[in-house]
Amino acid sequence: MIKNFIIKFQSQTDTSQMQSLSLFIQNINTNWQTICNLPDLLEFAELIQYKQDQLMKNKFEQIYDDQNFSFKNEIANEINDKIRSNPVKNLTFFNKIQDEKNEDLRIRFSQIEQDIQDKLLAFKQDKQIQKKIYLKYLKQLSQRINSSLKDSEVIVFEEIKNIEREYQNKRGFKSLDDFILGISKDPDQLAQFKENEGEIKAAFNKLWGDITRESEQKQSEILQEYSTKQYQCISSSFNEYKLNTQNEQLYITSFLENINNNSPFRQDFDERMQIYNIFEKELKSQVQFRPIFNTKETMRYGEVFLQNLEDRMKRPNTKYDVMDIKNYYQFQIKVYYVEKKTLDDYIKKDKKDKKEGLIIDLIKILERSENNQNQPKGKQKQQQADQYLYQCLDVNSFGQQYESVNSQFQQYENVNPHIQQQFNVNTQNQQYMNVNTQVQKLLLLLDIFKIKYDSKLRIDLVETIQDPQWWKIWSSYNKQVINAFEKFQESFKEFKKQKQPLMDFTNDTFIKNIKEYNKGLELKTGQYIFSALKELEEFIQNFEHIIIYRDMTIIPNSSRYKQLESSLKYIQRKESSFQEIFRLNFINWFQTAMFEENQKLQQNENCQQNGFSKFQQINSWQMMYFSIYDAIKSEMTKAHQENDKKDNSDSEEISQQNTSLIKIIMSKIEQEIINYNKSFANFGIILSGIGERCIYYYSMLIIWRFTCYKKGKGVQESIQKFESLKENQLQKFIADIKQNKTEQSKLKAEAFICNFYKSYIQYFYRDNQTTFGTEIKNKNKMTSTELIKLLDKTILEDYQKDNQLKKYSDEQIVQYITDQTQFIENYVKNEVDKIEVEIKDLFENRLRKNLNSILEKINANVQQLRSHTDIQNPPIKSKEYFVNNENDNSNDEFYESKLFDLIISCLLGGQQKMSKFQIQKEYEEIFSIDSYQKIEVNIFDKSKFQESELQIQLLQPFATELSKQLNIHIQKAKNESLSLEKFNSYQELQTIKLNMIGCRHTCPMCKRKCDQSYSNDHKHKCSNGHQLRGMNGVLIENTPSLFTCDEMDDECLIETLETKVRKKWKDIRKIYDDWIFKGLDETDQQTIKEKMMKVWNQGTGQMICQQLKTLLKKDIKFVLKNNFQDVIRQPKIHYIFMLDDSGSMRGKRWEYAKSGCLGCMLEIQKNLNARVSVIIFNSYARTVINCESVNLVEMEKKIQLSGGGTDFGRAFQETFNLIIQHQNEAFEKTEILFYTDGEAAYPQQIKQFKELPEHQKARIFLHCSSEESNATTLQMIVNELNACLIKSELKQKFQVTELQKTWAEIVSREYHNLKG
Ligand SMILES: [Zn+2]
Ligand SMILES: [Zn+2]
């Protein structure tokens, strides 16, 4: 490693790298631990890079957090202060303020950026951080600063636009005042209006219409401007996903014109199609896919592709399978079958017919044997030599050893006549044994077709064949055999049609046997093609004749996809000769085909769910893009909790866009893309970089679309609010024209209180921006690492068996384990909602309290005022309060304004600066400022009032109305609600969410969620530990796997969850190199291990076993997880050996078999809980070892050959007896290891095994090995047992020399399986 490091950096001139080596050596101790725990990072340099990156990351976050961004919360306040303090108010001025503020922000942010850069640089130099890493964080910094600046600019923009709108509205209202001023100068017109209220209203409506039009015009201008700004803002957060497209402008315009302003919740209209149509050109013009080749980054998809085609086709469809691989292939089946009548004729036909039939085939066997017997001596000798050879040698080495054995035989013949004689007897015996074997094979057909017969007669037949007393003369032997056969034949029942088994285990064993021995049986074949496996299965089930063998192959659906045949062959078999064609043609074709597919027909259920049913046709692209749309929509909207669901179409609230929300959505989309890629990987392709970017860019457009709609909805609301002012304005208009002073005064009092109330609320928002920000920041404490730690504790560690003490139901716990991302997402949503409610309550109460207190104070002042005015009768005119100079020619309005100023000062307890105007002595008391309470908050802003509103015509009705309005508003304040969105920091809730959810990737081995924070370039890690693989249903036989990813051995064989491919752990880790499976710190590692052990052992484990039991409908055994890795679990296994010692085994073959058996025991011996039985069989069977611990010396003596015929039945009877005898000894497994060199009849004893109880059957495993190349009987046994759920396997054409290796392998495989 160190050498690599030095070689790597010798070529570079950067000396800091060498320095970092010396630094590394200084810290060798701490680093050494890291090296030990990180075998994944083989490169030394990579290791250093990782550590430095971690270091820099932490520092970066810390510096960034230390920066004070709270000035963002003051933006609105500052703008308002500036505008208030300036007497001149017009659009140019507002624009100037906006520009100034933006410039100010730019400077501020760039200062912050500079500041952070300096600190990072200092840190880099101090810690010798590589330049590459440093630059990476500089880039991140500039992106963050930039998007924060863009955010702030939107705040400025919105605030300025609010002010502008208010200004605009006020200007509109001024036209009402101007109109009144105009007609009041024309007494005739005034008189005419006064008489006719209808005319007043008409005039008002005309003016109002103009005002509204102008206001709406302005609103929509602002909206357009806002949308464009938002687009820039959002796309700046999307920099890393930016798609290069020439159509950007087109998309913006299309969305602005056709999409953004419509409600996305309309029932009658589905905008997904419209958006798709806008975006489709991107999918048509850019290359969307790339092939999976063996690069590091595509390896995990390669896993999917490398599965054989049948497995890929078998996987159940999900919504991600927008292209279904099943459509591209067909099932071709070749069937060998017999017609029922043919079969019945064949087994019943009597010998007079002489042409075909079972008996004719029997006669042929006898004739052949007779011919052999009568062969000339030389040939016969040769035959005998063959027999002898077959007897003592393994068939494989036949070629080489033939010569030597042949000469050996010559020697026997010439040198030792005694031995030769002996040999002749043996070979004669062998001859008749062969007849027996052939007859058994001939009769196997009865068992294959399950034809019933009298088994006693069958035994008679066998005995006749093997009876030495008939052997002397062939003709009488034949006669005896045929007689016995005919008797047996009479007992045959007619063939009864059975259901065809769905699975076909037989390979071609049966057909070969029938073809070879039952030559007279007429076989037929047929070939059929099906598009779906289900059709094929149905066809087989309903096939009218008796199927003996079927041969299924998958072939490309070339009738539909002629031009794709080569590509499809490549996808099926990955032959490199087709690879080039695949690469050139397929992607292009696939991309186009996705437009042509009609998913609506194929995915009917899905269509219903997603509301696709209203479309005529849905292609695969639409399927995918619609689903992405839905994912974003559900993230952007939150269902309204409140009851006002009258118009269900629009009641959903839309989240405010911000960087965190975008990140949340992007991390979700990232997972979606991974899932789509896993589906495309079936075809050997995945989305290209551009393909992914298209999805991201499309997602961005959707986010933008919702954001704009939200704003548009806000505009709608403000138009409604504007409309609600109409009535008040009309009343005022009428009163002003009629010069009804009492009415005027009342309306002015109402306007004053309303205005004040509104201003106070606005002030409250501005005043609390900072406090709100702090409050949110205080809540933002939990990272996803901490959250998982907490949940592990409350959900897993504190598991309660008692239902009443349970905080989480078992179902919830299982969800936490099996679908952690979803669980955490829901949990966090809930938590954040809670925080939101808390904060809302807090500030809403504060608002109500403050409102109440300030209104009460004013009310007290009003009561003070009323104590003077209430006694006035009639009310005193405004002018009369003042001492009038002789030459004063100011009109009434002048004094009405003065009075207003004066009274407001009194009511708000402000300073009185009215020295210029003397107040009549008798009224001085009313205006004595000291008798009024002071109101601390100065929010009265004259510029928010119309000129005409700043007057008091008559003080008495004004005061009375004030009092009435105050009471109304005091009541209103009690229920005043707060809109959190008006606080800039409100969007930080999304940040809390993002931080708590963190990264969404899950461990490919145990499904545990990565607990690091969300970012694009981190290595995934479960720093709270991985979970036991068994928790997610990974079973080893019937015990959950007790290992976690962080403690697995490099050499362990692991099956991945999705593809079920078995690989060494170290190789899997290479594929998932974006994961760090082990912790960096040894003590942490130990703590985590103990934690997971505790979790498993104290309740959760047992609960999960219970759940798995119900889910999988099989017996699951709970086993404690052990602390010490070196104490390996010793599973209780019973091994039963079944050894053939018939005559044909004599010689070397027996030696091999025996040593194979003993060698295997050597392996078994390692497991102290294992027991061994040995059954040796020929025509009879004997149990020589009965369930004992291995003792090689003793056992060697007991395994001895005795010779004889071959019968499986008695052997299986012994095995069955052993199982019954030891059934109460709690063996986890019974492994039966069976070996024979020949054939025998099908044993009826197998039936007993089928009748064992289910749980017992599930623990029996039968491994048969036979020298026969066509071991039909064993094949039938294996089929029968598999069908009744006893796992069985058969190796044919097996060589005895292989026995030790094969059996030892079985033993060690099962043993290690149970271990891991
Ligand atoms: Zn894991
Ligand atoms: Zn991660």
Side-chain angles (χ1 to χ4, degrees), residues 865-873 881 926 955-956 959-960:
L865 177 65
R866 278 183 69 182
S867 69
H868 303 289
T869 55
D870 279 1
I871 48 172
Q872 294 176 356
N873 192 20
Y881 289 105
I926 302 180
L955 190 54
Q956 194 219 43
T960 324

Side-chain angles (χ1 to χ4, degrees), residues 192-327:
Q192 194 192 335
F193 268 113
K194 271 187 182 173
E195 291 304 307
N196 191 343
E197 205 171 296
E199 249 178 79
I200 302 180
K201 279 185 184 164
F204 174 83
N205 280 336
K206 190 174 163 293
L207 286 166
W208 186 258
D210 290 343
I211 297 169
T212 329
R213 242 190 320 284
E214 213 171 305
S215 165
E216 277 172 18
Q217 169 81 25
K218 183 77 194 163
Q219 296 273 22
S220 84
E221 273 169 29
I222 293 174
L223 192 60
Q224 286 284 336
E225 225 180 304
Y226 173 86
S227 300
T228 324
K229 248 199 151 55
Q230 262 319 333
Y231 181 84
Q232 289 161 359
C233 186
I234 296 174
S235 65
S236 83
S237 312
F238 261 89
N239 246 333
E240 43 198 322
Y241 306 108
K242 193 112 191 151
L243 174 75
N244 282 323
T245 169
Q246 299 163 334
N247 301 321
E248 188 175 9
Q249 203 46 52
L250 176 82
Y251 296 144
I252 296 176
T253 332
S254 306
F255 268 70
L256 282 177
E257 282 170 7
N258 306 317
I259 309 287
N260 289 0
N261 296 328
N262 292 325
S263 165
F265 306 108
R266 281 166 66 181
Q267 302 290 321
D268 57 325
F269 178 76
D270 201 317
E271 68 178 27
R272 289 179 290 190
M273 191 59 100
Q274 207 175 359
I275 293 176
Y276 171 81
N277 287 339
I278 296 171
F279 199 68
E280 191 182 51
K281 51 183 73 61
E282 215 56 58
L283 306 176
K284 284 194 162 145
S285 62
Q286 307 227 45
V287 178
Q288 298 284 320
F289 294 98
R290 59 175 170 152
I292 298 173
F293 289 130
N294 251 345
T295 60
K296 216 172 174 186
E297 34 157 354
T298 57
M299 234 183 328
R300 68 196 57 182
Y301 299 115
E303 294 268 279
V304 176
F305 185 47
L306 287 177
Q307 291 176 97
N308 74 45
L309 183 63
E310 212 180 329
D311 287 341
R312 278 180 275 162
M313 290 171 75
K314 256 188 214 152
R315 229 172 26 94
N317 272 13
T318 67
K319 71 162 184 168
Y320 300 107
D321 297 311
V322 291
M323 290 296 266
D324 192 344
I325 194 155
K326 292 193 214 49
N327 296 341

Side-chain angles (χ1 to χ4, degrees), residues 505-506 510 1274-1284 1288:
F505 307 102
T506 59
F510 292 174
L1274 285 174
Q1275 186 65 61
M1276 285 170 65
I1277 294 172
V1278 164
N1279 288 355
E1280 287 289 315
L1281 292 183
N1282 273 326
C1284 76
S1288 313

Side-chain angles (χ1 to χ4, degrees), residues 1003 1006 1026 1045:
C1003 171
C1006 72
H1026 291 256
C1045 308

